[in-house]
Amino acid sequence: MTVFAALSTANLARFTRTINRIINRMSTVIVFTENNFMLRPLLLLFCLFYGSITYSQSSLDTLSTTAEIYRVNSWISAGITAVGLASNSYRFRQLQRKPELTQTEIDQLDRSAVPGFDRIGLRQHLDQVESATRNSNIILWTSTALPLGLFLDRRIRQDWFDISLLYLQTQAIASNFYAWSPLGPTVFDRLRPRAYYDELPLAEKESGGTRNSFFSGHASSTAVGSFFFAKVLTDYHPEWSTGRKALVYSLASVPPILVSIERVRALRHWPSDTIVGSLVGAGIGLLIPHLHQRWAAKHRSRLLVNANYGAAGGGLGLQLQF
């Protein structure tokens, strides 16, 4: 059964202005992320991308949704994202307020008690800490913004709003898993490698954040971005060969590997911290789109948007199929 409604050119312009106001107001949510190192730029990037969308004749001619890949409920996904941003921001501040390390605790640290696999964290050069920290942040932000590159693909660009909202939701879930789950620093008080370096002053080792080594939030958030990118890209191109898809996923593993190396060099994490963080981020980056894909497969009813604009006039068509 099909229900169809058409909007005139004037109504189309009014509709576009309304959507613009809604998106602009979404930017106020950024205030929740003041202390959130993983999600702070995401809503801003989303709004900047929306601002770059132009409703010219050529773009309207191609603004027709194809087969639905993911089912995204805008209200639910936006709610999860907003609540996630707020709760993560709150929890992240709490994690930074863990008790400071005392000189007695530092004096009692035993390097031989560090697992053999992680002892590479004790053999780093102090003169590379600053550059490694900077490099890890660059890789993090680059990978976090990587999903914006999906919109270079024409198929995906048609669903840019749903994909953007889905990505924000995925990052919000991943950051809250880091902040609240029993696998993260809420339960584990593992000391960062810098606490074991006698050459570093006490001021660089005593902060409560030094107890938040496990697991790596940088590695997790980086993996979310790169594997979300790979998942969405391959889902929109089922015609690609198995080898081509394998190549995409292989390349998606590069940013988490690079950021993991830099976080160890920066004395922020042990190798095992970054491995777990990368696995958690990759898992969430794949799982959330997959769940929305399953939902779409089981609920085939959908709302299609068809727009056209030409010399004779223009309009927007809303088509509900069920």
Side-chain angles (χ1 to χ4, degrees):
M1 181 177 181
T2 301
V3 178
F4 181 83
L7 298 179
S8 65
T9 304
N11 287 334
L12 174 60
R14 189 179 302 112
F15 174 81
T16 301
R17 288 195 298 270
T18 301
I19 294 299
N20 271 300
R21 287 197 295 269
I22 293 173
I23 298 300
N24 288 335
R25 289 174 183 175
M26 286 177 64
S27 64
T28 60
V29 182
I30 297 175
V31 69
F32 292 129
T33 67
E34 181 180 356
N35 296 296
N36 191 323
F37 68 94
M38 288 181 282
L39 286 172
R40 193 179 339 188
L42 290 180
L43 285 174
L44 180 58
L45 287 172
F46 173 76
C47 293
L48 288 176
F49 175 77
Y50 179 82
S52 70
I53 299 294
T54 58
Y55 291 91
S56 61
Q57 176 177 343
S58 59
S59 65
L60 281 171
D61 287 339
T62 61
L63 189 60
S64 178
T65 303
T66 57
E68 185 180 43
I69 304 299
Y70 304 117
R71 173 60 63 85
V72 179
N73 185 304
S74 300
W75 291 106
I76 293 177
S77 294
I80 291 175
T81 300
V83 172
L85 290 170
S87 64
N88 186 342
S89 181
Y90 166 79
R91 187 57 185 161
F92 185 73
R93 287 194 297 268
Q94 297 301 311
L95 292 174
Q96 296 302 311
R97 295 172 184 169
K98 286 185 177 182
E100 292 185 349
L101 267 69
T102 64
Q103 186 63 56
T104 300
E105 287 181 289
I106 295 175
D107 293 340
Q108 292 176 347
L109 293 177
D110 182 5
R111 286 185 164 223
S112 64
V114 176
F117 175 74
D118 282 330
R119 290 182 187 174
I120 189 174
L122 299 175
R123 300 192 294 270
Q124 301 303 308
H125 301 287
L126 296 181
D127 59 355
Q128 68 184 12
V129 170
E130 184 177 349
S131 62
T133 301
R134 182 174 60 253
N135 292 341
S136 69
N137 288 333
I138 292 174
I139 298 170
L140 168 67
W141 297 130
T142 301
S143 186
T144 300
L146 181 62
L148 290 177
L150 291 168
F151 303 127
L152 297 175
D153 186 288
R154 182 178 178 180
R155 296 184 188 177
I156 303 174
R157 189 164 60 245
Q158 293 180 3
D159 298 326
W160 70 271
F161 185 85
D162 283 350
I163 297 301
S164 299
L165 201 54
L166 179 59
Y167 180 52
L168 291 173
Q169 176 189 349
T170 303
Q171 280 285 11
I173 291 173
S175 64
N176 276 272
F177 188 89
Y178 167 84
W180 294 97
S181 80
L183 289 180
T186 291
V187 173
F188 289 93
D189 280 339
R190 191 181 196 186
L191 299 182
R192 299 184 188 273
R194 65 190 183 196
Y196 288 78
Y197 282 77
D198 296 333
E199 301 89 336
L200 293 176
L202 178 62
E204 294 187 24
K205 299 186 287 185
E206 65 180 357
S207 71
T210 301
R211 301 181 188 271
N212 296 334
S213 186
F214 190 83
F215 54 87
S216 172
H218 269 64
S220 176
S221 189
T222 299
V224 169
S226 62
F227 278 89
F228 180 93
F229 177 92
K231 169 67 173 170
V232 173
L233 185 61
T234 54
D235 282 347
Y236 271 82
H237 290 279
E239 76 281 2
W240 284 1
S241 66
T242 301
R244 190 172 184 179
K245 292 180 180 179
L247 176 61
V248 172
Y249 281 105
S250 297
L251 293 176
S253 67
V254 173
I257 291 174
L258 293 178
V259 82
S260 295
I261 293 172
E262 294 302 316
R263 294 306 279 176
V264 173
R265 293 177 66 239
L267 307 183
R268 297 286 183 170
H269 292 287
W270 306 97
S272 59
D273 301 335
T274 62
I275 291 175
V276 173
S278 297
L279 291 175
V280 169
I284 295 176
L286 296 173
L287 177 63
I288 303 305
H290 177 71
L291 293 178
H292 284 266
Q293 186 181 29
R294 290 289 301 275
W295 188 17
K298 292 184 177 181
H299 302 80
R300 303 308 300 179
S301 62
R302 58 191 176 128
L303 179 67
L304 300 181
V305 179
N306 298 283
N308 56 77
Y309 187 73
L316 177 69
L318 302 179
Q319 189 175 14
L320 178 63
Q321 295 181 350
F322 56 92

